[in-house]
Amino acid sequence: MEKKSKLIKKGDLYYPGKVFKKKALVNNKKIYREADKDPVKFWEKLAKKLYWRKKWKKTFLHKPPYFQWFINGKLNITENIFEKNYEGWNKIKNKTALIWEPEPIEEESRKLTYGELFFAVCKFANALKKLGVKKGDRVGIYLPMVPEVIISVLACARIGAVHTVVFSAFSSHALQIRLQDTEAKILITVDGYYRRGNVINLKQAADEAIKETSIEKIIVVKRSHNEISWNENQNLWFEEIIKDESDECEAEIMDSEDPLFVLYTSGSTGKPKGVLHTCGGYMIQAYWTGKWIFDLKDDDVLWCTADAGWITGHSYTIYSPLLNAVPTLLFEGAPDWPTPGRWAEIIEKYRVTTFYTAPTAIRMFEKYGLEFIQRYKFKSLQLLGSVGEPIDESAWLWYFRNVGKEKCPIVDTWWQTESGGILITSLPGIGPFKPSFTGLPFPGTRFDIFDDKKKSLPVGERGNLVMLPPFSPGMMRGVYKNSEKYLETYWKEYGKKIYFTSDAAYKDENDLIRIVGRVDDAIKVAGHRMTTGELESVVALHSDITECAVIGIVDEIKGEAPVVFAVSKNEKSSEQLKNEIISQIRKEIGPIASPKEVYIVNDLPKTRSGKIMRRILRKLFSNEDLGDLSTLANPESVEEIRKIIKS
Ligand code: WTA
């Protein structure tokens, strides 16, 4: 039995073990051929399995660069999670939907069944309605990993309000610009939450953020009972407003193309963009990608470690597991608090079967050493996933051996905030899995790798990863209130019929895709997406700084990390300036964007036309050969910076 469970290695490829393959929901390659014959028909067949109030008239409509799926179909995603769940409501209403593990060890965990979650969602949905929230209104959600984040998201979806979740570790300023853009009238937050043993007062950040926004009411979840400031006219306790509400709330009937949520992400310079996702297509993709890629079955427990404030949390902590009637696990705290064994303990405690995390976390545990996890057998684990950044071979093998015990397939899943759900990965019951390669496009989707002239590149040649029509149902439909940005970011490089992912990639001889990294100015810091342009604009806010450049450099644990080069106009000590710049970044964006280094320099290398040569800064930082510097207007800046970096 033991042998049959292990993955099978052939050359540099791994295949699922016999036991896994036999039980897998999808274990035959012919699914790719079937889907490729007619992707629209394929998705149509999948969409029919879910519950629609009214069937769509046309499956796919393409008016480049715009497209729609399941046109005129009517639905509500929460009906598919609750009373009309594919598995049958009677079967699942007493089943665990949500497991919540608080950070303090001594505190009791919480479990909610599907029935209990449904009641909570309906009560809160009714409370929102009473506050005047209507279909199409935007609601801001600034919550840490507590059950109420799921309740809030689903309550919005129940009544057709558009949720905008903002990562709780983002600063009040980051929250403010998102609230301004969405013009939300309601914000849901918490008194505080635990992080590494401290209570973080989130209400205070929320209070600061709502200045100059349209927020009329802040709903506050009572979590850590810390002291907070209170404005009688504007603040409401979550618990108070749901207390007397009915636990029944009729689902708002949504059009397939009505917005479900807006989630902000960084990319290609400027302010964060509000990525818009719609009800029908997103639901179909969330359901099926989760089902097939995580091989979700009745007795599974899914732990996706992503925060609900990111797309991975939206799709694989909230929507996908719940649509699939599988318990989803939510953990409030930091991965290594109070010890690096915390995650391992949680996996064992709840018998997690499906574990989905980012390479940064894997590298961090690798560095802590085996002593923290060796005593765990991880018998419950069946499948592992990786997301958010490239996973290097060493981290892959470490994960495979020490967590998956060589029996769990590893799905390395590529996707983006824009794609709504996973789009490239090997399917676990089919394989092959190859360290640092993500796999094949999900059935029913088409990708290619292009050079600058739109030519498809052969095996081994690196180019731009693009997606070809019909695109997937869960793809973004636009940038909120900014169609120009939508056109310019995604549909300019190769025209209006080819989606530009902003990632570089290449294929191997098995057609498996390896993601090399972003080709725009986005960097992935511990899996978190931000842009160097966005960081530069924050540094430039400092009144002493005349010019600056931010680069992403390789970081052993975080994958990438920002490094700042700034030119100051006065004599303030570099130490003081550095600290001010760091606190400015933390204040404007959040601690996740803290730079690894800040260098105060006299000049930045520039071309004669005045363009800052970030490429040279990167090479200087990593001590590489700089090549020809004759095109620089100020070659002397290079030596000065080299000295500063060295010292
Ligand atoms: C990167 C996260 C390599 C990629 C779901 C993409 C990956 C960006 C992988 C999107 C992976 C995501 N291997 N790189 N498996 N998954 N990426 O919007 O550069 O936060 O464009 O969505 O993360 O980041 P986002």
Side-chain angles (χ1 to χ4, degrees), residues 220-357:
V220 187
V221 174
K222 201 174 269 172
R223 156 73 189 111
S224 44
H225 303 266
N226 48 310
E227 229 175 84
I228 55 172
S229 58
W230 195 257
N231 174 344
E232 279 300 335
N233 300 321
Q234 190 196 49
N235 299 167
L236 301 157
W237 285 112
F238 182 95
E239 290 71 10
E240 292 282 318
I241 59 171
I242 62 169
K243 209 171 53 200
D244 300 322
E245 288 299 338
S246 155
D247 53 22
E248 279 175 33
C249 174
E250 187 60 31
E252 186 75 35
I253 302 186
M254 306 299 285
D255 188 89
S256 173
E257 288 292 323
D258 277 338
L260 175 65
F261 65 85
V262 174
L263 181 61
Y264 285 80
T265 189
S266 304
S268 60
T269 66
K271 280 209 290 191
K273 306 183 291 272
V275 171
L276 176 74
H277 283 286
T278 50
C279 295
Y282 176 83
M283 172 176 82
I284 299 306
Q285 196 174 314
Y287 178 78
W288 286 101
T289 52
K291 184 171 236 49
W292 285 351
I293 296 165
F294 298 126
D295 197 42
L296 294 178
K297 301 196 200 89
D298 193 31
D299 50 1
D300 279 324
V301 176
L302 176 68
W303 186 15
C304 162
T305 65
D307 191 278
W310 301 93
I311 191 68
T312 310
H314 278 60
S315 300
Y316 300 102
T317 302
I318 305 182
Y319 284 113
S320 186
L322 297 177
L323 286 164
N324 278 287
V326 162
T328 184
L329 197 147
L330 225 64
F331 172 48
E332 179 184 39
D336 52 353
W337 176 269
T339 71
R342 187 71 195 268
W343 273 15
E345 275 161 30
I346 296 174
I347 292 175
E348 294 280 295
K349 178 172 173 189
Y350 298 108
R351 306 198 48 75
V352 171
T353 59
T354 316
F355 182 67
Y356 189 35
T357 195

Side-chain angles (χ1 to χ4, degrees), residues 100-119:
W100 180 61
E101 171 80 4
E103 188 187 83
I105 304 261
E106 61 285 0
E107 200 177 324
E108 292 260 337
S109 57
R110 257 173 88 185
K111 278 188 183 173
L112 266 75
T113 63
Y114 275 86
E116 288 162 343
L117 180 62
F118 188 27
F119 283 168

Side-chain angles (χ1 to χ4, degrees), residues 131-141 161-166 174-188 209-217 262-264 271-272 274 479-482:
L131 290 171
V133 179
K134 290 185 293 295
K135 177 177 179 171
D137 289 350
R138 279 79 54 214
V139 171
I141 301 177
V162 182
H163 56 77
T164 294
V165 185
V166 178
L175 172 62
Q176 183 189 39
I177 54 179
R178 286 157 176 79
L179 293 176
Q180 283 169 341
D181 199 53
T182 53
E183 298 166 282
K185 293 198 188 77
I186 302 275
L187 177 66
I188 306 160
I210 64 162
K211 289 173 196 151
E212 292 161 44
T213 69
S214 9
I215 295 293
E216 289 163 7
K217 298 274 182 228
V262 174
L263 181 61
Y264 285 80
K271 280 209 290 191
V479 174
Y480 190 66
K481 290 202 308 199
N482 197 342

Side-chain angles (χ1 to χ4, degrees), residues 2 5 303 340-355 365 369-384 398-408:
E2 183 60 23
S5 302
W303 186 15
R342 187 71 195 268
W343 273 15
E345 275 161 30
I346 296 174
I347 292 175
E348 294 280 295
K349 178 172 173 189
Y350 298 108
R351 306 198 48 75
V352 171
T353 59
T354 316
F355 182 67
F365 288 115
L370 286 179
E371 63 181 297
F372 293 101
I373 61 163
Q374 230 153 17
R375 73 190 108 124
Y376 302 102
K377 295 213 167 60
F378 298 131
K379 274 206 162 133
S380 59
L381 285 177
Q382 307 275 330
L383 188 149
L384 303 175
W398 187 89
Y399 196 30
F400 176 65
R401 290 185 188 130
N402 301 303
V403 184
K405 311 286 182 194
E406 298 183 24
K407 69 177 193 342
C408 298

Side-chain angles (χ1 to χ4, degrees), residues 119-186:
F119 283 168
V121 166
C122 286
K123 274 172 162 287
F124 190 47
N126 285 327
L128 287 175
K129 276 208 229 171
K130 202 166 269 172
L131 290 171
V133 179
K134 290 185 293 295
K135 177 177 179 171
D137 289 350
R138 279 79 54 214
V139 171
I141 301 177
Y142 187 47
L143 284 173
M145 293 297 268
V146 290
E148 288 78 6
V149 71
I150 296 191
I151 296 168
S152 302
V153 160
L154 298 181
C156 288
R158 187 78 181 170
I159 62 173
V162 182
H163 56 77
T164 294
V165 185
V166 178
F167 182 40
S168 56
F170 271 146
S171 67
S172 56
H173 177 73
L175 172 62
Q176 183 189 39
I177 54 179
R178 286 157 176 79
L179 293 176
Q180 283 169 341
D181 199 53
T182 53
E183 298 166 282
K185 293 198 188 77
I186 302 275

